[in-house]
Amino acid sequence: MIRGGDRRVAYRVRDRTSEEPAILPRPLRLPLAAVAAALAAAVLAAWPAARAGARDAPAAAAPSCPTTAGAVDVTRATVPELRAALDAGTVTSRRLVETYLARIEALNRRGPGLHAVIAVAPDALAQADAADAARAAGAPQGPLAGIPVLLKDNLDTADLPTTAGAKAMLGPPPPADATITARLRAAGAVILGKANMSEWATSISPRAGLSFSDVGGRLRNPYDGGDTSGSSNGSAIAAAASLAALTIGTETQGSIVLPSFINSAVGIKPTMGLVSRGGVIPLVPAFDQPGPIARSVTDAALLLSLITGVDPRDPATRAQRGHVPAGGYERFLRRGALRGARIGVPPALARDPMGRVVGQRRIVSALRRLGATIVPIRGRLWVGTAPLEAIHGQFKRAVNRYLRERGPTSPRRSLADVVAYNRRHGREAVRYGQAFLVEAQAAGRRAQRTAGRRLARYAARARRAVERAMDRHRLDAILAPRLVAAVTATSGGLPHVTVPAGYAGRTPYGIVLVGRAWSEPRLIGYAYDFEQATRAWRSPAELNPAFAAACPAG
């Protein structure tokens, strides 16, 4: 999330991790069981974040970092291709899970030290075996039967702790799955484990930067070893490095678009209300929205279809009625979708690297070849940052509610308890301090009471800025700089899709397309057309020698 206020910006997203501290945390250990009373006392010593998968689920015997499972290349296969191989019997779910676990072991702590996975499920192989047995018995199969998925570690899982990367949150698992988790299980997915993330979704300390959590360690870009950006960075890294077939992220202001852009992944930030936030640790509910992160537009569209739906746990989802296409978003994966589309390009924001479209000339040329009309936008879409006092007020109120609703399984009862825990344990709990948490805890009753109204006004202003530009120029979508998508579009509750577009040396960049509310079908079609025509994505093993040494391309 990009934090700011009417008077200042608390910190700016960095483009290189060389500007951040490079100290790695000591390895921690993964819980082997979730017996609440015992785990609460022992969990800190029992959680191996950086070595997820080494002990709890044995990896394939050889090779040490496989690129294939059976005849399937897991670094390039789409989920429909994996599903076809499973149905044909050319690979088993167990073999798939073993393959991903072996890649996690080789790349997460070893090799390039990605630190993208914070924990693996102790029963991952048991889940896979159950899927294989059901398939062999001819039982009805869900669309993700036996397919491994990683969840960002702010989504509740009833069988794994949910920490948001914070040691203060280590403890028993939540009492129930998040709505997204439950829907994925119902679709047959193997919940492989949790993806690392920027601690508290970047709301811990400016000194920690955007690539660190005290539980999971410092995340690294799989391509250049540098910036990972945005709090869903573990999910984006895992998608690009093929540590799972699918991943889930969440966005508040940039936490899907930014890590997808810089880690060469596909990210969909949905319209506010399309995907439930039930059972997700909140940051700023006025802006929070979960979404898919995957290696391909095909997989991201399929995943979006499976996680949408009205949910009583999240009243905002009532707004999606009448806007979800029958038959899912896969229907809109169409070559030629860009033909005749009017795509707006706003002016760059001065002196801010995130305020321009990276590779604009090449991207615009590709869009024109695909039949799109490029329309320069008059006027800027930047609306400034949200009032910091309101962000702190809503964060405090929402986190307190989440911790209360966790009940006896909650490791802390309030944000005040979190801050107090961190103070007691010092650098062992928060290596780089907790300045943002302290600021949020200081938010008074008035700030909490008025936060919703103030942020709603800001969101409406952001939405109007995009919609007016689209109306004025008769646009179908906007080719947006990262900053416009992360702040203006996201704050306005509007959707955007990020797709790999190329590499500046070894550093990835993407194309970001923003649209009106509920325009996911159109954006997915445009993104797929661009992806299929440009074939820009490359494996990290092709660009990063450290990655290739640990896991050569197949």
Short mmCIF file of all heavy atoms in Angstrom, two decimals, residues 5-6 253 287 380-387 453-469 487-489 491-494:
data_model
loop_
_atom_site.label_atom_id
_atom_site.label_comp_id
_atom_site.label_asym_id
_atom_site.label_seq_id
_atom_site.Cartn_x
_atom_site.Cartn_y
_atom_site.Cartn_z
N GLY A 5 -0.91 11.21 3.05
CA GLY A 5 -1.88 12.02 3.74
C GLY A 5 -2.01 13.36 3.08
O GLY A 5 -1.40 13.64 2.06
N ASP A 6 -2.79 14.22 3.68
CA ASP A 6 -2.97 15.54 3.12
C ASP A 6 -1.68 16.36 3.23
O ASP A 6 -1.44 17.27 2.44
CB ASP A 6 -4.10 16.26 3.87
CG ASP A 6 -5.43 15.59 3.63
OD1 ASP A 6 -5.63 15.02 2.55
OD2 ASP A 6 -6.26 15.63 4.54
N GLN A 253 -3.80 -0.40 -1.93
CA GLN A 253 -3.37 0.62 -2.89
C GLN A 253 -2.06 0.15 -3.52
O GLN A 253 -0.98 0.59 -3.14
CB GLN A 253 -3.21 1.98 -2.22
CG GLN A 253 -4.51 2.70 -1.95
CD GLN A 253 -4.28 4.13 -1.44
OE1 GLN A 253 -3.34 4.41 -0.71
NE2 GLN A 253 -5.15 5.03 -1.84
N PHE A 287 -10.69 0.38 0.72
CA PHE A 287 -9.97 0.07 -0.52
C PHE A 287 -9.65 -1.41 -0.69
O PHE A 287 -9.38 -1.85 -1.80
CB PHE A 287 -8.64 0.84 -0.57
CG PHE A 287 -8.74 2.31 -0.29
CD1 PHE A 287 -7.75 2.96 0.43
CD2 PHE A 287 -9.82 3.06 -0.74
CE1 PHE A 287 -7.83 4.32 0.69
CE2 PHE A 287 -9.90 4.41 -0.49
CZ PHE A 287 -8.91 5.06 0.23
N ARG A 380 -4.48 15.11 -15.94
CA ARG A 380 -3.91 14.02 -15.17
C ARG A 380 -4.98 13.29 -14.36
O ARG A 380 -5.98 13.87 -13.96
CB ARG A 380 -2.81 14.53 -14.25
CG ARG A 380 -1.63 15.08 -15.04
CD ARG A 380 -0.48 15.44 -14.14
NE ARG A 380 0.67 15.88 -14.93
CZ ARG A 380 1.82 16.24 -14.40
NH1 ARG A 380 1.98 16.23 -13.10
NH2 ARG A 380 2.82 16.62 -15.18
N LEU A 381 -4.70 12.02 -14.09
CA LEU A 381 -5.63 11.20 -13.32
C LEU A 381 -5.21 11.09 -11.85
O LEU A 381 -5.90 10.44 -11.07
CB LEU A 381 -5.70 9.79 -13.92
CG LEU A 381 -6.23 9.72 -15.35
CD1 LEU A 381 -6.19 8.29 -15.86
CD2 LEU A 381 -7.66 10.24 -15.41
N TRP A 382 -4.11 11.70 -11.49
CA TRP A 382 -3.63 11.62 -10.11
C TRP A 382 -4.51 12.46 -9.19
O TRP A 382 -4.81 13.62 -9.48
CB TRP A 382 -2.19 12.12 -10.05
CG TRP A 382 -1.58 12.16 -8.69
CD1 TRP A 382 -1.19 13.27 -8.00
CD2 TRP A 382 -1.29 11.05 -7.85
NE1 TRP A 382 -0.67 12.92 -6.79
CE2 TRP A 382 -0.72 11.56 -6.66
CE3 TRP A 382 -1.46 9.67 -7.97
CZ2 TRP A 382 -0.31 10.74 -5.61
CZ3 TRP A 382 -1.06 8.85 -6.94
CH2 TRP A 382 -0.49 9.38 -5.77
N VAL A 383 -4.96 11.87 -8.08
CA VAL A 383 -5.84 12.59 -7.16
C VAL A 383 -5.19 12.79 -5.79
O VAL A 383 -5.87 13.15 -4.83
CB VAL A 383 -7.19 11.86 -6.99
CG1 VAL A 383 -7.97 11.87 -8.29
CG2 VAL A 383 -6.99 10.44 -6.48
N GLY A 384 -3.88 12.56 -5.69
CA GLY A 384 -3.22 12.70 -4.39
C GLY A 384 -3.45 11.47 -3.53
O GLY A 384 -4.12 10.52 -3.93
N THR A 385 -2.87 11.49 -2.36
CA THR A 385 -2.99 10.35 -1.45
C THR A 385 -4.14 10.57 -0.47
O THR A 385 -4.54 11.69 -0.20
CB THR A 385 -1.68 10.14 -0.68
OG1 THR A 385 -1.30 11.37 -0.06
CG2 THR A 385 -0.57 9.68 -1.62
N ALA A 386 -4.64 9.46 0.05
CA ALA A 386 -5.76 9.52 1.00
C ALA A 386 -5.31 10.14 2.31
O ALA A 386 -4.12 10.06 2.68
CB ALA A 386 -6.30 8.11 1.24
N PRO A 387 -6.22 10.76 3.06
CA PRO A 387 -5.86 11.37 4.34
C PRO A 387 -5.32 10.32 5.31
O PRO A 387 -5.99 9.34 5.62
CB PRO A 387 -7.16 12.00 4.84
CG PRO A 387 -8.24 11.43 4.00
CD PRO A 387 -7.63 10.98 2.72
N ARG A 453 -16.38 8.02 6.38
CA ARG A 453 -16.92 9.11 5.55
C ARG A 453 -15.82 9.79 4.75
O ARG A 453 -15.98 10.08 3.56
CB ARG A 453 -17.65 10.13 6.43
CG ARG A 453 -18.93 9.60 7.06
CD ARG A 453 -19.76 10.74 7.63
NE ARG A 453 -19.07 11.51 8.64
CZ ARG A 453 -19.04 11.19 9.94
NH1 ARG A 453 -19.64 10.08 10.36
NH2 ARG A 453 -18.41 11.95 10.81
N ARG A 454 -14.68 10.05 5.39
CA ARG A 454 -13.60 10.75 4.71
C ARG A 454 -13.02 9.90 3.57
O ARG A 454 -12.75 10.41 2.48
CB ARG A 454 -12.50 11.11 5.71
CG ARG A 454 -12.93 12.10 6.77
CD ARG A 454 -11.80 12.41 7.72
NE ARG A 454 -10.71 13.15 7.05
CZ ARG A 454 -9.55 13.42 7.62
NH1 ARG A 454 -9.30 13.00 8.86
NH2 ARG A 454 -8.63 14.11 6.97
N LEU A 455 -12.86 8.62 3.81
CA LEU A 455 -12.31 7.75 2.78
C LEU A 455 -13.32 7.51 1.66
O LEU A 455 -12.94 7.36 0.50
CB LEU A 455 -11.85 6.42 3.38
CG LEU A 455 -10.65 6.55 4.34
CD1 LEU A 455 -10.34 5.21 4.99
CD2 LEU A 455 -9.41 7.09 3.61
N ALA A 456 -14.61 7.51 1.99
CA ALA A 456 -15.64 7.37 0.96
C ALA A 456 -15.63 8.57 0.02
O ALA A 456 -15.79 8.43 -1.20
CB ALA A 456 -17.02 7.20 1.60
N ARG A 457 -15.43 9.78 0.57
CA ARG A 457 -15.35 10.97 -0.27
C ARG A 457 -14.13 10.91 -1.18
O ARG A 457 -14.18 11.26 -2.36
CB ARG A 457 -15.32 12.24 0.59
CG ARG A 457 -16.64 12.56 1.27
CD ARG A 457 -16.66 14.00 1.78
NE ARG A 457 -15.67 14.21 2.82
CZ ARG A 457 -15.90 14.07 4.13
NH1 ARG A 457 -17.11 13.68 4.55
NH2 ARG A 457 -14.95 14.30 5.02
N TYR A 458 -13.02 10.48 -0.61
CA TYR A 458 -11.79 10.36 -1.40
C TYR A 458 -11.99 9.31 -2.51
O TYR A 458 -11.59 9.53 -3.66
CB TYR A 458 -10.64 9.96 -0.49
CG TYR A 458 -9.36 9.63 -1.21
CD1 TYR A 458 -8.50 10.64 -1.66
CD2 TYR A 458 -9.00 8.31 -1.45
CE1 TYR A 458 -7.32 10.32 -2.34
CE2 TYR A 458 -7.83 7.99 -2.11
CZ TYR A 458 -7.00 9.00 -2.55
OH TYR A 458 -5.84 8.69 -3.21
N ALA A 459 -12.60 8.18 -2.18
CA ALA A 459 -12.84 7.13 -3.18
C ALA A 459 -13.73 7.64 -4.31
O ALA A 459 -13.48 7.34 -5.49
CB ALA A 459 -13.47 5.91 -2.51
N ALA A 460 -14.75 8.39 -3.97
CA ALA A 460 -15.65 8.93 -5.00
C ALA A 460 -14.90 9.89 -5.93
O ALA A 460 -15.11 9.89 -7.15
CB ALA A 460 -16.83 9.63 -4.34
N ARG A 461 -14.01 10.70 -5.36
CA ARG A 461 -13.22 11.63 -6.18
C ARG A 461 -12.30 10.86 -7.14
O ARG A 461 -12.16 11.22 -8.31
CB ARG A 461 -12.41 12.54 -5.26
CG ARG A 461 -11.59 13.59 -5.97
CD ARG A 461 -11.27 14.76 -5.03
NE ARG A 461 -10.65 14.34 -3.80
CZ ARG A 461 -9.32 14.27 -3.60
NH1 ARG A 461 -8.51 14.61 -4.59
NH2 ARG A 461 -8.83 13.89 -2.45
N ALA A 462 -11.69 9.79 -6.64
CA ALA A 462 -10.81 8.98 -7.48
C ALA A 462 -11.59 8.31 -8.61
O ALA A 462 -11.16 8.29 -9.77
CB ALA A 462 -10.10 7.93 -6.63
N ARG A 463 -12.75 7.79 -8.28
CA ARG A 463 -13.58 7.12 -9.30
C ARG A 463 -14.03 8.10 -10.37
O ARG A 463 -13.99 7.80 -11.57
CB ARG A 463 -14.79 6.46 -8.62
CG ARG A 463 -15.64 5.61 -9.55
CD ARG A 463 -16.61 4.75 -8.76
NE ARG A 463 -17.42 5.51 -7.83
CZ ARG A 463 -17.27 5.49 -6.50
NH1 ARG A 463 -16.31 4.76 -5.94
NH2 ARG A 463 -18.05 6.21 -5.72
N ARG A 464 -14.43 9.29 -9.94
CA ARG A 464 -14.87 10.31 -10.92
C ARG A 464 -13.74 10.70 -11.86
O ARG A 464 -13.96 10.93 -13.05
CB ARG A 464 -15.41 11.54 -10.19
CG ARG A 464 -16.80 11.37 -9.60
CD ARG A 464 -17.42 12.72 -9.25
NE ARG A 464 -16.60 13.46 -8.29
CZ ARG A 464 -16.71 13.36 -6.98
NH1 ARG A 464 -17.62 12.54 -6.46
NH2 ARG A 464 -15.95 14.08 -6.18
N ALA A 465 -12.51 10.78 -11.33
CA ALA A 465 -11.38 11.18 -12.17
C ALA A 465 -11.19 10.21 -13.33
O ALA A 465 -10.96 10.62 -14.47
CB ALA A 465 -10.11 11.25 -11.33
N VAL A 466 -11.31 8.91 -13.06
CA VAL A 466 -11.15 7.91 -14.11
C VAL A 466 -12.37 7.91 -15.04
O VAL A 466 -12.23 7.92 -16.28
CB VAL A 466 -10.95 6.51 -13.51
CG1 VAL A 466 -10.93 5.44 -14.60
CG2 VAL A 466 -9.65 6.47 -12.70
N GLU A 467 -13.55 7.92 -14.48
CA GLU A 467 -14.76 7.82 -15.30
C GLU A 467 -14.94 9.04 -16.19
O GLU A 467 -15.38 8.91 -17.34
CB GLU A 467 -15.97 7.62 -14.40
CG GLU A 467 -15.98 6.24 -13.73
CD GLU A 467 -17.11 6.08 -12.74
OE1 GLU A 467 -17.70 7.11 -12.32
OE2 GLU A 467 -17.42 4.93 -12.37
N ARG A 468 -14.60 10.22 -15.70
CA ARG A 468 -14.72 11.42 -16.53
C ARG A 468 -13.76 11.37 -17.71
O ARG A 468 -14.12 11.74 -18.83
CB ARG A 468 -14.46 12.67 -15.68
CG ARG A 468 -15.63 13.05 -14.77
CD ARG A 468 -15.24 14.18 -13.84
NE ARG A 468 -16.35 14.57 -12.98
CZ ARG A 468 -16.25 15.39 -11.94
NH1 ARG A 468 -15.06 15.91 -11.64
NH2 ARG A 468 -17.30 15.68 -11.21
N ALA A 469 -12.54 10.90 -17.47
CA ALA A 469 -11.58 10.77 -18.57
C ALA A 469 -12.09 9.77 -19.60
O ALA A 469 -11.96 9.98 -20.81
CB ALA A 469 -10.22 10.35 -18.02
N VAL A 487 -3.22 3.85 -6.97
CA VAL A 487 -3.85 4.82 -6.07
C VAL A 487 -5.21 5.26 -6.61
O VAL A 487 -6.24 5.03 -5.97
CB VAL A 487 -2.92 6.03 -5.85
CG1 VAL A 487 -3.61 7.07 -4.97
CG2 VAL A 487 -1.62 5.57 -5.19
N THR A 488 -5.25 5.88 -7.78
CA THR A 488 -6.52 6.44 -8.25
C THR A 488 -7.54 5.34 -8.54
O THR A 488 -8.65 5.37 -8.00
CB THR A 488 -6.29 7.29 -9.52
OG1 THR A 488 -5.27 8.26 -9.26
CG2 THR A 488 -7.57 8.00 -9.91
N ALA A 489 -7.18 4.36 -9.38
CA ALA A 489 -8.15 3.34 -9.76
C ALA A 489 -8.55 2.46 -8.59
O ALA A 489 -9.73 2.20 -8.35
CB ALA A 489 -7.59 2.48 -10.90
N SER A 491 -8.34 3.08 -5.31
CA SER A 491 -9.10 3.83 -4.32
C SER A 491 -10.54 4.06 -4.78
O SER A 491 -11.46 4.12 -3.97
CB SER A 491 -8.43 5.17 -4.04
OG SER A 491 -7.13 4.99 -3.56
N GLY A 492 -10.72 4.20 -6.09
CA GLY A 492 -12.06 4.38 -6.64
C GLY A 492 -12.84 3.08 -6.78
O GLY A 492 -13.97 3.11 -7.29
N GLY A 493 -12.27 1.97 -6.37
CA GLY A 493 -12.96 0.69 -6.44
C GLY A 493 -13.01 0.10 -7.84
O GLY A 493 -13.81 -0.80 -8.10
N LEU A 494 -12.15 0.59 -8.74
CA LEU A 494 -12.21 0.20 -10.15
C LEU A 494 -11.23 -0.94 -10.43
O LEU A 494 -10.20 -1.08 -9.77
CB LEU A 494 -11.89 1.40 -11.03
CG LEU A 494 -12.82 2.60 -10.85
CD1 LEU A 494 -12.35 3.78 -11.69
CD2 LEU A 494 -14.26 2.23 -11.20
#
